[in-house]
Amino acid sequence: MEWYKNPDYKNISERCDRLIMEGSSEELYSMVDFCYEKGNEFSTDDMVRANYYYCGSNCSSRYRQLTKDESEEVLEKELLLCRKSMMILSKQKKTPMEFKERAYFRGMYYSVVTNYANFLDHIGRIIPAIQYFEKISQSKFGMAQGNLGQALIRFSFMINDSNQARYIGRMGEKWLDKAVNSYDGNIYGQAKGYFQKWLEFIGKYKLPDTTIKSSKREMSEMEMNYRKWFSEGILALNPLNDCNYTVEVAYDPIYIHMIMPIPKGNDDFEVPELFSLFNDIKQEFVSARFQIYQAINGEGVHYSDEEVYLGNGLNGTMYSWNIEQAKMAFRSVYSIFDRIGFFLNEYLELKIDERKVSFKSIWWKISDELIEQNYALKGLKWIHKDLHNKVQVKGMEECVDPMMKEVQNVRNYMEHRFVRVVDELLASSDSKVDSLSMEITLSDFRNQVIYLLKKCREAIILLSILVSEEEKKKRRNQKEIDIADMEIRDTSSPFKNPDLNISNEQTKNLGPYDE
């Protein structure tokens, strides 16, 4: 029997739909647990299991709306349901299907990915949410288009640069217009009305179509190839790269534009050292990104590898300058998260002993109230939960991003034992982990390095948004204050010639589209 004709598949969908429309919070919560348990029955068809998880996540979302329950227990279970459904469907996506089955599959897959993106957006991770929405929107799935539109508009309000904010906001408006005028039957009436309200809201700003000005600096073919690589991979420290993947956005303008200065007495102020720490975080990311590019695209044997004599371990381990470059970049990117931890310890005045500060150790000192008040801080906390396999509720360990679990495992072996990178053709068929080493294929290692780099990019952008939001709060609470300006300098010369200065007058404009 085809899975989409399975009575269990149809029945659970209908039951959950009725509960979402008419059910009480108790009934919804009970259904969440029921769907989770049914999804864990491995004797059931995988697609039916995925549907149980999907229906459970829908009931959980509705439960949160009714009860305003944002406890980590509820959120972790909903994330677990979303990711379990996604994992099953991602595997099934590669299997051959008849036309009718493929049509049913796409409808379910698009809905699951859209729901997952909505949840990521809810927990502060708007950047990967936008990327998931965009991926499905290209297939003309109306619900994803509308959600992408409103997410881009909200993202634009988080951006300090008014030109960038206008561009992103206008892109959001266009996606909303597509959703409102879509003939996709998956958009239910209430959702279309919701998208229409967002469209009317952004329409009041009368945002013009804008173009991105390309750099006038002459670039070599090698540099252009590099910039094309990281813009297409969404690896620029540039919010525009979340809705534009051309080489025009292949630069890194993100910065912290203001921090209230530290009073020293006698009307004197000290510019916070956090400006320099953010510069250091940013530069280390950019340098690691280029290292990864070189490692991936290196051709032939590097001359530093010539006449290096190594014993044959008879296990297919590969040794080269390119692989070591990737390992060094991996370590560097992973260490940036701890730099972010140091930044937050200082900026939020957590007063944790500097010898004990890390991205993993700071969260017990940050209040739930502050996390709820600052969207970007919430996103950073959930990145931490993925990065360090940290869950609040026992039994929810599987809600952690499975790819990040692998990344952390590689990191632990790399730091304390050693990682053996092998060619796919020589990979072991048995266990790849022992007490001394961990084996990983070259392609898997490259994918993990890129994945870690993407998470680091997200964290850096969220950090800049976090500071911006907190500084705006401080300004609202004080009528007259002095603001430490951040002078942005171009690094094209060793003398750091001034390129752009952000003045006090400019920072007074809190609206995202202000001149």
Side-chain angles (χ1 to χ4, degrees):
M1 179 189 298
E2 294 88 345
W3 57 267
Y4 54 88
K5 293 181 180 179
N6 189 310
D8 289 341
Y9 177 85
K10 290 186 176 183
N11 291 339
I12 192 62
S13 298
E14 292 172 358
R15 286 175 63 189
C16 287
D17 286 345
R18 282 197 301 271
L19 281 178
I20 289 170
M21 295 297 293
E22 305 168 358
S24 66
S25 58
E26 292 80 9
E27 290 173 317
L28 285 163
Y29 196 76
S30 177
M31 180 56 75
V32 172
D33 288 334
F34 174 79
C35 287
Y36 176 62
E37 292 170 4
K38 294 294 287 184
N40 286 342
E41 293 180 0
F42 290 94
S43 58
T44 307
D45 184 283
D46 280 349
M47 288 299 298
V48 177
R49 290 177 56 225
N51 191 49
Y52 274 119
Y53 291 135
Y54 167 60
C55 291
S57 66
N58 282 338
C59 288
S60 178
S61 177
R62 180 57 177 161
Y63 169 81
R64 287 190 293 102
Q65 291 174 4
L66 290 177
T67 63
K68 310 301 180 187
D69 186 349
E70 293 293 324
S71 65
E72 291 202 28
E73 178 181 2
V74 170
L75 293 174
E76 285 179 357
K77 178 163 279 191
E78 187 170 335
L79 178 58
L80 175 60
L81 290 164
C82 287
R83 282 180 167 163
K84 276 184 167 289
S85 186
M86 283 275 290
M87 288 171 65
I88 293 174
L89 293 179
S90 295
K91 292 178 181 178
Q92 292 293 321
K93 190 179 178 183
K94 302 173 184 178
T95 61
M97 297 181 190
E98 297 294 333
F99 178 80
K100 189 173 182 178
E101 182 182 10
R102 178 64 66 182
Y104 272 99
F105 175 84
R106 284 175 178 165
M108 183 177 173
Y109 179 73
Y110 294 161
S111 297
V112 167
V113 174
T114 301
N115 275 22
Y116 179 52
N118 273 320
F119 183 81
L120 290 176
D121 188 359
H122 179 73
I123 60 174
R125 302 193 59 187
I126 195 169
I127 291 173
I130 287 172
Q131 293 171 19
Y132 277 113
F133 283 139
E134 201 276 337
K135 179 180 179 181
I136 303 302
S137 292
Q138 296 297 340
S139 300
K140 298 183 179 180
F141 187 66
M143 289 298 294
Q145 291 176 332
N147 280 293
L148 173 60
Q150 60 88 17
L152 285 171
I153 290 169
R154 287 187 297 101
F155 188 46
S156 74
F157 272 76
M158 302 176 194
I159 307 305
N160 289 315
D161 186 294
S162 60
N163 290 322
Q164 290 190 342
R166 281 194 290 267
Y167 181 91
I168 295 170
R170 178 61 179 142
M171 290 290 287
E173 185 177 15
K174 289 180 177 180
W175 280 112
L176 280 169
D177 186 66
K178 288 182 180 180
V180 169
N181 293 291
S182 172
Y183 293 103
D184 182 4
N186 290 291
I187 305 183
Y188 53 94
Q190 188 178 359
K192 188 162 282 193
Y194 172 76
F195 297 148
Q196 180 63 46
K197 287 181 179 179
W198 270 100
L199 190 58
E200 292 170 0
F201 165 76
I202 196 63
K204 295 176 182 177
Y205 287 94
K206 300 187 184 328
L207 298 178
D209 286 319
T210 57
T211 57
I212 300 171
K213 294 182 180 179
S214 303
S215 173
K216 296 180 179 179
R217 181 174 59 84
E218 290 189 14
M219 301 183 196
S220 66
E221 183 180 355
M222 289 178 63
E223 181 180 354
M224 283 294 292
N225 289 337
Y226 164 61
R227 293 188 178 276
K228 183 180 179 182
W229 171 80
F230 76 75
S231 59
E232 291 178 349
I234 319 178
L235 294 170
L237 292 176
N238 185 349
L240 294 176
N241 199 193
D242 289 290
C243 57
N244 185 310
Y245 317 117
T246 65
V247 74
E248 281 77 13
V249 301
Y251 61 103
D252 304 288
I254 199 76
Y255 64 97
I256 292 174
H257 76 300
M258 62 178 179
I259 296 179
M260 287 181 65
I262 302 169
K264 294 176 64 177
N266 300 321
D267 297 325
D268 194 11
F269 293 89
E270 177 184 343
V271 176
E273 193 70 17
L274 290 172
F275 281 138
S276 295
L277 178 54
F278 188 82
N279 284 344
D280 195 68
I281 289 170
K282 182 175 175 179
Q283 183 61 58
E284 187 163 6
F285 174 89
V286 170
S287 298
R289 183 181 64 196
F290 184 65
Q291 274 188 303
I292 293 168
Y293 172 77
Q294 286 187 313
I296 290 175
N297 293 280
E299 296 180 358
V301 178
H302 192 267
Y303 59 80
S304 67
D305 289 330
E306 297 288 358
E307 299 189 56
V308 176
Y309 303 102
L310 301 172
N312 187 352
L314 302 177
N315 55 16
T317 303
M318 303 170 69
Y319 299 95
S320 72
W321 179 87
N322 289 330
I323 290 174
E324 293 308 311
Q325 278 277 92
K327 288 181 179 179
M328 286 188 286
F330 184 100
R331 291 187 178 98
S332 181
V333 174
Y334 207 98
S335 73
I336 291 173
F337 288 99
D338 284 339
R339 301 283 189 90
I340 292 173
F342 271 95
F343 188 106
L344 292 174
N345 185 53
E346 183 74 18
Y347 181 70
L348 298 177
E349 300 180 352
L350 303 180
K351 295 182 171 43
I352 300 174
D353 187 320
E354 63 181 22
R355 293 168 298 179
K356 299 179 181 179
V357 174
S358 68
F359 192 58
K360 184 178 181 178
S361 69
I362 61 172
W363 297 100
W364 69 276
K365 286 292 293 285
I366 303 176
S367 69
D368 292 340
E369 181 182 5
L370 180 57
I371 290 172
E372 283 304 313
Q373 290 173 351
N374 192 303
Y375 179 82
L377 184 59
K378 181 192 289 188
L380 284 170
K381 180 178 181 178
W382 282 88
I383 290 176
H384 142 71
K385 289 165 79 72
D386 274 347
L387 186 68
H388 299 114
N389 300 342
K390 184 71 175 178
V391 294
Q392 189 73 20
V393 183
K394 188 176 181 180
M396 292 293 107
E397 289 78 11
E398 286 185 277
C399 81
V400 173
D401 183 343
M403 187 71 160
M404 288 307 295
K405 279 186 179 180
E406 295 178 17
V407 167
Q408 189 190 48
N409 204 20
V410 168
R411 185 259 179 185
N412 290 338
Y413 268 85
M414 193 177 291
E415 293 298 332
H416 306 296
R417 303 173 206 181
F418 82 100
V419 173
R420 296 191 298 104
V421 180
V422 300
D423 188 271
E424 281 76 6
L425 296 176
L426 299 176
S428 303
S429 57
D430 52 2
S431 176
K432 298 183 179 182
V433 176
D434 57 39
S435 61
L436 184 63
S437 68
M438 174 184 182
E439 179 183 292
I440 185 171
T441 64
L442 180 59
S443 61
D444 284 347
F445 182 54
R446 286 174 173 174
N447 289 339
Q448 289 189 18
V449 173
I450 295 293
Y451 197 75
L452 181 63
L453 191 64
K454 280 179 174 287
K455 294 295 171 284
C456 189
R457 171 191 182 265
E458 178 190 354
I460 294 172
I461 294 176
L462 286 178
L463 180 63
S464 70
I465 293 172
L466 180 157
V467 173
S468 176
E469 288 304 307
E470 289 302 306
E471 292 304 311
K472 287 175 184 177
K473 291 177 189 176
K474 293 176 184 177
R475 292 178 66 191
R476 294 189 197 107
N477 294 332
Q478 290 186 246
K479 292 182 179 179
E480 293 184 7
I481 60 171
D482 292 306
I483 297 173
D485 288 341
M486 179 63 171
E487 187 178 37
I488 308 302
R489 294 174 180 269
D490 184 5
T491 59
S492 57
S493 79
F495 302 104
K496 317 293 189 197
N497 292 323
D499 178 55
L500 175 67
N501 185 63
I502 308 300
S503 68
N504 281 342
E505 285 300 315
Q506 287 171 295
T507 57
K508 288 178 182 177
N509 297 318
L510 296 182
Y513 309 126
D514 292 336
E515 294 291 348

